Amino acid sequence: MGLRGLRVALAVLALTCGGACLGVGQETPGSQRIWTVPEISALPNNAQGRLVRRGRDLITATYAYIGPEVADRSKRFAGNNLACSNCHLQAGTKKFGIPLFGLFGEFPRYNARLGAEITIENRVNSCMTRSMNGRALPVSAPEMQAMVAYIKFLSTGVPPGELLPGLGTGKMPELDRPADPVRGKAGYTNACATCHGPDGAGIPRSLPSTDLGYVMPPLWGGDSFNDGAGMARLITAANFLHFNMPHGADYLNPQLSPEQAWDIAAYVISQPRPHKAGLDKGFPDLLEKPVDAPYGPYADGFSEQQHKYGPFAPIRAAIAKLKAELKGTPTR
């Protein structure tokens, strides 16, 4: 087996060995080792160790430090009582649970929404203004520095340009029909309402007078993510549900079929939530806009309804044709 074959074999191993081993790491003489999530408890009790731990705390209990009800009004950056870990599961360490590991070296990177290069701080603030429905943190803010330190820590030992298995939300087969919110409502009632409530309001923590946040987060309504968040897009939401929900599921043991996940996600994103102003101003190159962005304008001629619920294959084909025409090359 050559080096290329060894890389493939190790990558397959990393995909099948659960949370303990996540990807191919740095080479050692005569072999390669498997990269694992670094252990935060092993950090020394020095300034850097405390900074990283504070970053983790900000990810897991965002509402308690920079939420809309904290005592210091100047620290109210988040606009809801969610935690970052409501989407970045297990403090950003769960495979296909939108993990934060291995990402630090990917920045700065090009962002199609802005049509420009962004930093890791810009990416954090995108979550702050969308998923957290709040306002941007200053780059110099202690909270920003702590969260970035934690994200960097989760990339310890990952060479720049190395993409670890398990990033994002995974990818399941798409439907050849629109996802159906009506079917999804029945699926939500059966699989999701016990934890997130029949009205999607979640389950608050038991001491609302002294404790903030949710045991189970709201999926819509005023204290949820806004309509500009990644989770408000069908492809993101459906794959997240398939590989992570209901509670206890993971990519090795999905409990929802792909069809159920698509329809439940359609129901969730069809519900009312806060509006993010200026959504129509993003993506200077509309051909780079995600096919499931549920807001216009679009370059492809398809309706907002189809962009929201699919099917997406015809949209992708139209975009590919438009791109080929711009380049003066025939489409296949």
Side-chain angles (χ1 to χ4, degrees), residues 297-319:
Y298 307 110
D300 48 57
F302 287 87
S303 67
E304 188 172 282
Q305 183 82 356
Q306 184 158 346
H307 278 277
K308 187 168 185 175
Y309 298 117
F312 300 114
I315 301 176
R316 290 193 180 95
I319 291 173

Side-chain angles (χ1 to χ4, degrees), residues 156-177:
T156 302
V158 180
E162 184 82 61
L163 291 179
L164 298 177
L167 296 178
T169 58
K171 187 176 182 180
M172 63 176 173
E174 293 187 1
L175 302 178
D176 57 6
R177 62 165 175 84

Side-chain angles (χ1 to χ4, degrees), residues 63-74:
Y63 52 83
Y65 299 99
I66 55 175
E69 298 178 45
V70 297
D72 186 346
R73 291 179 176 271
S74 69

Side-chain angles (χ1 to χ4, degrees), residues 60-145:
T60 58
T62 319
Y63 52 83
Y65 299 99
I66 55 175
E69 298 178 45
V70 297
D72 186 346
R73 291 179 176 271
S74 69
K75 297 292 186 181
R76 294 179 179 179
F77 291 100
N80 55 39
N81 284 295
L82 298 179
C84 298
S85 59
N86 290 142
C87 290
H88 302 284
L89 301 180
Q90 296 176 10
T93 65
K94 185 181 181 185
K95 294 178 73 172
F96 302 117
I98 319 183
L100 300 174
F101 56 68
L103 294 179
F104 186 81
E106 296 299 305
F107 291 87
R109 65 187 299 177
Y110 177 78
N111 179 267
R113 182 189 290 126
L114 295 178
E117 199 172 70
I118 64 168
T119 63
I120 185 66
E121 291 84 2
N122 296 143
R123 185 64 188 86
V124 170
N125 274 331
S126 180
C127 282
M128 288 301 304
T129 58
R130 294 170 182 269
S131 298
M132 306 304 291
N133 193 37
R135 60 192 178 98
L137 281 157
V139 172
S140 60
E143 294 82 6
M144 174 65 84
Q145 294 179 356

Side-chain angles (χ1 to χ4, degrees), residues 3 6-7 9-14 17 20-39 153-159 162 164-165:
L3 180 59
L6 178 61
R7 287 181 181 274
L10 287 173
V12 171
L13 173 64
C17 65
C21 53
L22 294 165
V24 179
Q26 296 169 315
E27 292 188 20
T28 56
S31 67
Q32 290 182 314
R33 67 178 177 84
I34 301 298
W35 184 88
T36 58
V37 175
E39 177 52 65
F153 168 74
L154 290 182
S155 296
T156 302
V158 180
E162 184 82 61
L164 298 177

